[in-house]
Amino acid sequence: HNKYFAKLVLRLFRPVPLCNYCGCLGSQFLGGDELECCHGCHAVYYCCYDHKQKDWRKHNDDCEPWTLTGMLK
């Protein structure tokens, strides 16, 4: 759970989310859509569906729904 906790801390203290695949800001500052978070863990973001799919194999190992009881185990 240490990797997940580290990502959660980064998410909470990073003022601007970045795409987990390419590192871009998306188009949120140009009046476009905001980055979409992973629906499984809500700890990482993606600028587009294509990047979400491309990153899934790598992210799948760390993707766990966050719960307080899960962090206490």
Side-chain angles (χ1 to χ4, degrees):
H1 293 304
N2 290 338
K3 285 183 188 179
Y4 180 75
F5 183 72
K7 286 184 181 184
L8 181 63
V9 169
L10 286 173
R11 177 179 175 216
L12 292 173
F13 293 102
R14 182 176 56 202
V16 178
L18 303 174
C19 176
N20 199 51
Y21 182 74
C22 70
C24 79
L25 296 168
S27 60
Q28 57 190 334
F29 295 107
L30 302 173
D33 295 332
E34 291 186 16
L35 298 178
E36 183 177 325
C37 70
C38 171
H39 294 294
C41 66
H42 301 278
V44 298
Y45 293 85
Y46 296 100
C47 62
C48 63
Y49 184 75
D50 185 47
H51 286 188
K52 189 175 185 178
Q53 284 186 315
K54 288 179 179 180
D55 192 50
W56 177 244
R57 287 183 189 216
K58 187 177 101 181
H59 175 62
N60 185 36
D61 294 336
D62 297 326
C63 186
E64 298 177 9
W66 185 83
T67 62
L68 184 56
T69 56
M71 293 303 290
L72 296 175
K73 288 182 180 178

